[in-house]
Amino acid sequence: MITNNQHQNLSPLPQKLETIIKLFEFLSEEEKRETLIHYADQSSKQAPISGESFDIEDIRKDEECTDTVGIHLRIDPNGQTFWRVSLGPKVQTLTKALTTILCRGLEGVHFQQVLDLPHDFIPRIVGSQLVRARSQSIYYVLTRMKGILRAWLAKKRLEVLTSEKN
Amino acid sequence: MNPETSYANPEAVVSTEWVSQNIHNPNVRIVESNEDVLLYSTGHIENAVHIDWTTDLQDSTIRDYISPEQFAALCSKNGISPDTEVVFYGDKSNWWACYAFWVFRLFGHKKLHVMNGGRDKWIEEGRPLTRALPQFSPTNYPVPRRRRDSEIRAFFEDTLAHSNARLPLVDVRTPGEFRGEITHMPEYPQEGVLRGGHIPGAKNIPWRTAVNPDSTFKSAEELRKIYIEQNGLNPSDDIIAYCRIGERSSHTWFVLTELLGFEKVRNYDGSWTEWGNRVRAPIEKG
């Protein structure tokens, strides 16, 4: 049974993510852009690999993004999360970059820590020049990741309730 | 220029093939303008420079466009002279290419073109992209005497007077935005608008009706049917077009002005993000 207790006393930002954020904070705006492009180039590698199985998947095209985004989540018995994200070709470059950063930065992170993540670390990565009108989709992938975790938690609770009734 | 000759200004549109043949033409400057802020850096047409709609074309503090001095500096930096044939292309079916075209027209640059189909068509045709940044010798672009705001740009007061006089207003947003059912456009987050609906008297002609599935502009005959026959606009009408922040309406401005030859069309760039937040601005719904 997975509990939230395993998450106690953790810092708000997972270590891998914090390392990536610190890297970006040292970069000039131009270097930030180049590094974001590098991460965007790696986004196709975050897609599910043939034969992988997941505890829950959420693939949809909704109104806040320009193309289909699929979130594929595996959670181990300790509550650690492992993410795969599939992106349609018209997804914006910043969203692609954030996909790679989040998949890597949240690998193995406890689900409660992901749910507790504040969104304000994202501008620290992207930089003030790129957080502007028509680039708000930078928050989209993290929002979807939290959304699938909530759906997974609801499913788990329902399973527990059903087994208790039986 | 291999134009679609039945357009009112046949040279306003150039084909991808024409661009590919003129990549090294010193009299031509290819300009990419996108909504996706990093897209140019992921790969662009060889020798294309990047002009960003926010950082290059807009004032960095006030919601307005750059000054004539800044425009001259922008052109000089990109090796553009008053005689340069500037060809715009970009993502989103050329929204921002048309927007940049319109801003260049605000400053009176004459030789302006849009690559039909934009970035999507170029890629769809398997044409090459590069990440190599072009280097051009700076020019000394003369500072334009003025910005032609009164000719092709409308402000809130102009638009209110237009609405009160029941002159033609074209709302190019989606029907859901026009009816006030949503306060953002589909596929986008909310952009801080407090009220939904449309300017009283506006006609809803979404920008998308002017393009084919491959992002190219429809033929002049098809466009005449849409704007003149079906929606009752006349080429001599005094028209104001608007959307949310002025980019989709610059696309329609381009279609009406350059492709159909309408004589007086203005783009209300304040658009719904100004109107929908303005205290006591009249709004119609449905």
Side-chain angles (χ1 to χ4, degrees), chain A residues 33 36-37 41 61-66 90-94 130 132-134 136-137, chain B residues 35-38 41-42 52-54 92 96 131 184-189 191 245 247:
Chain A
R33 284 172 180 249
L36 285 166
I37 301 277
D41 287 343
K61 158 83 183 73
D62 65 20
E63 287 200 342
E64 290 172 74
C65 195
T66 52
K90 288 186 178 171
V91 166
Q92 292 221 340
T93 311
L94 272 175
L130 297 180
R132 63 186 211 192
R134 298 290 161 87
Q136 298 96 326
S137 62
Chain B
E35 180 164 284
D36 182 332
V37 288
L38 294 176
S41 304
T42 67
D52 183 85
W53 67 277
T54 303
K92 312 295 294 187
W96 301 95
R131 290 189 177 186
H184 58 88
M185 64 176 149
E187 303 182 352
Y188 287 80
E191 287 176 326
I245 57 173
E247 88 293 3

